[in-house]
Amino acid sequence: MINIGCHLSISKGFEAIGKESLSIGANTFQFFTRNPRGGSAKEINKEDINAFLNLKEKYNFKKIVAHAPYTMNLCSVKESVADFSSRVMLEDLKRMEHVPGNLYNFHPGSHTGQGTKIGIEKIAKALNNILWPDMSTEVLLETMTGKGSEIGGKFEEIREIIDEIELKDKIGVCLDTCHVYDAGYDIVNNLDKVIKEFDDIIGLSRLKAIHLNDSKNTLGSKKDRHEKIGKGNIGTDAIRTIVNRKEFSNLPFILETPQENINGYKNEIDMIKGYFLGELK
Ligand code: FE
Ligand code: FE
Ligand code: ZN
């Protein structure tokens, strides 16, 4: 079985997003914890959450992925932005305890001119202040393209952040196929090498989720423009290989492809299930 879902709006609540996922053949999903550009989060609705937890149990959902707002930057040169980001993350993670045992993905941050080293130090320091020993959520650093002053375009940078974290069992990685390709990792012609590099530098045991996207741009372009599966430069063959890799089996695959409506995702999920050979290679 392949664990697959897509990014959906949680505006109607957890139960609604769960039902929406079931209706398109998904057994996981991703949602923004709040408006992607920041802002306040919706009130917690216990009834809605309980209804979702029942649904999750009944239909055997895999781990769901919360995505932090894009504007969050734990290592901003502006202290007010960095502090605000820390507060947002802490509040999000406290709220995640209402749906315990799931995943919280975020973009490591942009050093905005301070340099990678200082950026990494600030991110790790912030995480060390935020994470607590008995939290049930795993916090995922997303692999990025490395555009601008973005941190996380190199596996080494992710590793350096993790190295500094005190509560290492709370930290994992989400690999975004569009991002790593745009960052220069050739998952089309050399997937074996990229997986080995990931394992050598970060460790495959840290990999907790895959963002499955095609790319509008070319290898190493550092652009970060997602494309529908099979319509971009990564292409069908590479995606087919990726979903059949034993290293990725059991991970939630989340589509973040540009779709006009939910049917676009339904079709893509059907298509990817069709790629899945059902046995581990
Ligand atoms: Fe992301
Ligand atoms: Fe992503
Ligand atoms: Zn992206």
Side-chain angles (χ1 to χ4, degrees):
M1 178 161 116
I2 178 166
N3 302 315
I4 189 158
C6 60
H7 186 96
L8 292 169
S9 164
I10 198 152
S11 58
K12 293 193 203 97
F14 277 99
E15 189 188 18
I17 202 175
K19 284 183 171 167
E20 206 175 5
S21 295
L22 287 173
S23 78
I24 56 172
N27 65 348
T28 178
F29 56 82
Q30 177 175 272
F31 63 99
F32 281 127
T33 54
R34 54 188 80 209
N35 182 306
R37 279 185 231 102
S40 58
K42 264 181 66 180
E43 200 78 21
I44 288 280
N45 177 341
K46 285 241 159 107
E47 232 173 276
D48 173 50
I49 290 200
N50 284 333
F52 168 67
L53 292 176
N54 286 332
L55 198 77
K56 186 173 188 277
E57 170 95 32
K58 184 171 174 195
Y59 293 97
N60 200 15
F61 270 77
K62 296 299 154 187
K63 289 191 184 204
I64 57 167
V65 186
H67 195 306
Y70 292 145
T71 43
M72 194 159 94
N73 187 5
L74 294 178
C75 64
S76 173
V77 71
K78 289 186 193 154
E79 231 167 281
S80 59
V81 174
D83 287 349
F84 178 73
S85 301
S86 278
R87 284 204 303 277
V88 164
M89 189 187 270
L90 179 60
E91 193 187 301
D92 279 355
L93 289 173
K94 283 183 179 163
R95 293 162 62 89
M96 285 296 286
E97 292 299 310
H98 291 279
V99 279
N102 288 293
L103 307 168
Y104 179 85
N105 173 74
F106 79 108
H107 297 176
S110 292
H111 65 67
T112 51
Q114 304 163 93
T116 310
K117 190 169 178 284
I118 289 177
I120 287 170
E121 278 168 16
K122 286 190 174 180
I123 295 164
K125 195 174 166 210
L127 287 169
N128 283 332
N129 281 323
I130 294 164
L131 307 180
W132 68 95
D134 59 350
M135 65 186 282
S136 69
T137 306
E138 269 183 287
V139 176
L140 309 186
L141 297 152
E142 181 168 356
T143 60
M144 303 308 292
T145 66
K147 67 175 175 326
S149 68
E150 214 170 51
I151 291 174
K154 295 194 180 94
F155 295 160
E156 286 83 354
E157 294 168 1
I158 306 252
R159 161 69 189 267
E160 283 168 32
I161 296 169
I162 296 171
D163 276 346
E164 300 293 320
I165 303 294
E166 287 152 14
L167 299 171
K168 287 200 172 48
D169 62 321
K170 309 297 176 196
I171 284 284
V173 176
C174 171
L175 186 146
D176 186 309
T177 55
C178 168
H179 295 178
V180 293
Y181 184 72
D182 286 15
Y185 292 99
D186 194 354
I187 53 173
V188 175
N189 299 302
N190 232 330
L191 183 63
D192 279 337
K193 183 170 167 249
V194 176
I195 290 176
K196 183 169 188 307
E197 250 182 279
F198 187 99
D199 193 28
D200 288 347
I201 297 166
I202 299 173
L204 279 166
S205 64
R206 293 251 175 243
L207 184 61
K208 304 294 175 179
I210 304 272
H211 282 168
L212 196 62
N213 302 307
D214 210 324
S215 174
K216 284 193 198 295
N217 294 100
T218 50
L219 179 70
S221 61
K222 301 204 172 163
K223 285 281 209 271
D224 191 3
R225 296 285 308 281
H226 301 187
E227 182 53 286
K228 292 186 174 82
I229 300 297
K231 303 281 188 233
N233 288 305
I234 296 176
T236 304
D237 287 349
I239 298 286
R240 190 194 304 271
T241 307
I242 287 165
V243 300
N244 283 290
R245 288 295 295 229
K246 67 173 185 309
E247 294 89 345
F248 304 153
S249 66
N250 294 319
L251 298 179
F253 285 96
I254 304 287
L255 296 162
E256 300 175 309
T257 52
Q259 302 292 346
E260 289 66 41
N261 54 50
I262 187 91
N263 276 321
Y265 280 126
K266 186 184 184 307
N267 293 337
E268 218 162 56
I269 287 170
D270 285 346
M271 186 174 85
I272 288 158
K273 283 182 174 173
Y275 295 165
F276 186 56
L277 302 172
E279 52 189 65
L280 307 178
K281 285 180 104 181

